[in-house]
Amino acid sequence: MKVLVPVKRVIDYNVKVRVKSDQTGVDLANVKMSMNPFDEISVEEAVRMKEAGTATEVVAVSIGPQQAQETIRTALAMGADRGILIKTDDDVEPLGVAKLLAKVVEEESPDLVILGKQAIDDDSNQTGQMLGALLDWPQGTFASEVKAEGGKVSVTREVDGGLQTVALDGPAIVTTDLRLNEPRYASLPNIMKAKKKPIDMKEPGDYGVDISPRLTVVKVTEPPVREAGEKVEDVATLVEKLKSAGAV
């Protein structure tokens, strides 16, 4: 089984995001970037499948600037076999990403695509579902458990009412949730080995995909500053305060 794992380069989750002074977006200058946390979970799951003998090859693919090579190298250090970078300096919307990934799937013929349910920069939660629609593949979203055996994939999903288990006939698409696994830290020897693993360099034009944006950012603003809390003497005072504030 070949597993394709899309990974995205985003602002590190520990970094406080700053909005540009002209409110056209967030400031990326001199900001630490890393792999999207949900994609780390995807890579970890694919590598575990390989270690268990279920998967034979894990291919990491990223769409972004030249620096996204480092994101792929992280995936390779975690255990992926090779990488594909579709180089573009433009912001690619989820539909454009899904179209490019569909072309990569046609070229690579994976049996399973595992990707994070969403990226922490735009929180769109759309790419996996759009890719499933474009390929007409079954999909298991928000996975907290994945079992692949005999050409079928069993996915336990986290839904509002609890857990739902679906059985998918491969090839299939899985999007990962937080509780699926805990990603490993890449060891220094594996980081050194990752430098020798191949990364194919591509461009959107190689796949004939138009990634022109369909959305326009009107304005980006920071959330309002949270007001300080207030201590009260008893429950009656608390209720009165809530009433006066219109909270109850």
Side-chain angles (χ1 to χ4, degrees):
M1 173 185 286
K2 179 191 286 190
V3 183
L4 186 73
V5 187
V7 294
K8 186 176 183 180
R9 179 177 181 262
V10 299
I11 296 177
D12 189 90
Y13 70 94
N14 287 311
V15 173
K16 177 175 172 51
V17 177
R18 300 188 304 272
V19 175
K20 292 180 179 178
S21 57
D22 59 2
Q23 296 185 317
T24 57
V26 298
D27 188 3
L28 300 180
N30 300 315
V31 173
K32 181 183 178 183
M33 308 290 283
S34 61
M35 186 190 299
N36 178 46
F38 289 102
D39 295 340
E40 288 183 341
I41 295 171
S42 302
V43 174
E44 175 65 27
E45 191 65 21
V47 172
R48 290 188 185 188
M49 292 173 67
K50 183 184 174 186
E51 291 172 343
T54 305
T56 55
E57 185 181 24
V58 177
V59 182
V61 56
S62 188
I63 301 166
Q66 186 71 26
Q67 297 92 319
Q69 270 196 90
E70 296 306 313
T71 306
I72 295 177
R73 292 291 178 198
T74 300
L76 297 177
M78 291 174 67
D81 298 292
R82 58 187 176 89
I84 301 171
L85 173 60
I86 304 176
K87 185 179 177 300
T88 175
D89 292 324
D90 299 327
D91 291 331
V92 186
E93 295 170 357
L95 180 58
V97 173
K99 287 181 176 180
L100 286 170
L101 291 178
K103 293 294 185 180
V104 174
V105 167
E106 290 178 12
E107 193 174 77
E108 292 289 332
S109 300
D111 302 287
L112 184 65
V113 179
I114 305 180
L115 64 162
K117 70 171 185 177
Q118 65 195 73
I120 63 171
D121 52 0
D122 56 19
D123 276 337
S124 293
N125 183 19
Q126 296 175 342
T127 302
Q129 294 88 329
M130 288 177 171
L131 180 59
L134 291 172
L135 296 173
D136 196 23
W137 281 15
Q139 56 182 291
T141 54
F142 318 129
S144 61
E145 185 178 2
V146 178
K147 295 180 181 178
E149 187 176 359
K152 292 183 179 292
V153 181
S154 173
V155 178
T156 300
R157 306 178 60 236
E158 296 195 354
V159 296
D160 290 342
L163 299 177
Q164 177 192 54
T165 301
V166 295
L168 312 175
D169 291 325
I173 294 168
V174 173
T175 70
T176 60
D177 215 329
L178 283 173
R179 281 158 288 280
L180 178 59
N181 60 52
E182 184 175 343
R184 70 192 67 188
Y185 288 102
S187 65
L188 182 58
N190 286 337
I191 292 174
M192 300 306 292
K193 291 177 183 176
K195 294 181 178 181
K196 298 181 180 179
K197 293 182 179 180
I199 297 179
D200 293 334
M201 306 298 290
K202 302 280 189 177
E203 293 185 359
D206 297 335
Y207 297 102
V209 174
D210 178 16
I211 59 170
S212 301
R214 289 168 167 75
L215 304 175
T216 301
V217 176
V218 177
K219 184 169 64 173
V220 178
T221 58
E222 293 189 11
V225 178
R226 185 175 180 179
E227 296 181 1
E230 181 182 351
K231 289 184 179 181
V232 296
E233 296 178 354
D234 50 40
V235 175
T237 307
L238 172 62
V239 173
E240 186 62 34
K241 289 279 187 181
L242 292 174
K243 284 183 177 179
S244 62
V248 293

